[in-house]
């Protein structure tokens, strides 16, 4: 991390949903995504970009189907990390590049989103650690991520929502598969 930050986190619940909405901003994170990109079939996701994805996220959190952590800097909502059993991420099951490595019951970290005012402060390191801790509290034994590699300045930040490889490496994740150069699969045992 480049500098020391006062970071804390909470699991996302209906009680702190306004904090998550604050992190995503009016547009819903990545162009109306509301962190539903891998949770819904692609066609459904595209049809409901924006407000309908927001409602799907809110409903999923209220029902306990969408799990994640909200990161805070000095008590201010600053970041989000989506996680859950791999089977909850519909689009991962459809991806040849990110197909399951084996039959281990892994949990996936599908999104690390930092609100614009808090970017480039090293928050992703703390956010990833919080996600691993929370996944462990929920019973996960293995956590998996799908970062971009390398952290290429030509890659738009909107495409970096799965995080960068260096963050996972610093978080003691180990590469277990790389089917294409830019998208490895990393794991960490809990």
């Amino acid at each position: 991390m480049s500098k020391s930050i006062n970071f804390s986190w909470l699991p996302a619940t209906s009680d702190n949903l306004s904090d998550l909405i604050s992190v995503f901003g009016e547009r819903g994170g990545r162009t109306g995504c509301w962190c539903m990109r891998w949770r819904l079939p692609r066609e459904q996701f595209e049809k409901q970009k924006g407000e309908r994805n927001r409602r799907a996220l809110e409903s999923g959190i209220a029902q306990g189907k969408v799990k994640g952590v909200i990161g805070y800097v000095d008590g201010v909502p600053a970041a989000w990390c989506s996680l859950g059993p791999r089977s909850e991420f519909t689009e991962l099951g459809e991806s040849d590049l990110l197909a399951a490595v084996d039959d281990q019951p892994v949990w996936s970290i599908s999104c690390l989103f930092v609100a614009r005012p808090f970017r480039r402060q090293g928050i992703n390191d703390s956010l990833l650690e919080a996600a691993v801790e929370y996944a462990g509290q929920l019973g996960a034994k293995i956590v998996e991520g799908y970062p971009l590699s390398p952290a290429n300045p030509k890659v738009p930040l909107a495409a970096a929502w799965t995080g960068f490889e260096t963050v996972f490496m610093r978080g003691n994740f180990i590469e277990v598969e790389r089917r294409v150069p830019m998208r490895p699969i990393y794991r960490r045992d809990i």
Side-chain angles (χ1 to χ4, degrees):
M1 246 181 277
S2 56
K3 68 179 189 173
S4 178
I5 57 171
N6 182 15
F7 182 87
S8 60
W9 67 274
L10 291 170
T13 67
S14 292
D15 293 337
N16 59 15
L17 197 54
S18 62
D19 291 348
L20 179 55
I21 291 167
S22 171
V23 169
F24 280 132
E26 232 178 81
R27 296 185 67 183
R30 187 178 163 263
T31 63
C33 177
W34 291 99
C35 209
M36 298 306 292
R37 173 63 189 91
W38 282 358
R39 291 184 179 276
L40 300 172
R42 180 177 218 117
E43 188 174 308
Q44 181 182 355
F45 168 78
E46 291 295 335
K47 282 182 181 175
Q48 63 184 52
K49 268 189 178 179
E51 186 59 30
R52 287 183 288 173
N53 275 339
R54 176 182 168 167
R55 287 194 307 264
L57 174 68
E58 291 172 350
S59 173
I61 288 172
Q63 295 172 24
K65 293 179 181 177
V66 173
K67 297 162 198 67
V69 296
I70 302 171
Y72 298 82
V73 174
D74 294 323
V76 177
W80 158 256
C81 183
S82 177
L83 58 107
R86 182 183 165 93
S87 60
E88 292 180 2
F89 297 95
T90 304
E91 284 296 294
L92 281 177
E94 301 294 321
S95 172
D96 291 335
L97 298 178
L98 301 175
V101 173
D102 52 34
D103 60 359
Q104 297 275 350
V106 302
W107 278 51
S108 296
I109 293 177
S110 67
C111 177
L112 294 108
F113 183 83
V114 177
R116 190 169 305 246
F118 299 96
R119 292 181 184 158
R120 303 195 188 283
Q121 296 179 31
I123 291 171
N124 274 335
D125 293 344
S126 300
L127 186 62
L128 185 60
E129 193 58 37
V132 170
E133 182 179 337
Y134 185 47
Q137 290 174 10
L138 295 175
K141 302 293 182 213
I142 303 170
V143 180
E144 188 174 84
Y146 319 95
L148 280 179
S149 170
N152 185 336
K154 294 180 182 176
V155 174
L157 285 179
W161 50 278
T162 57
F164 287 113
E165 182 176 31
T166 52
V167 173
F168 283 82
M169 292 168 72
R170 287 191 304 264
N172 297 314
F173 280 69
I174 297 168
E175 182 179 334
V176 293
E177 186 72 59
R178 187 181 295 251
R179 296 178 180 116
V180 295
M182 285 187 64
R183 186 67 76 175
I185 298 175
Y186 272 77
R187 281 188 180 171
R188 178 172 155 184
D189 291 335
I190 299 179

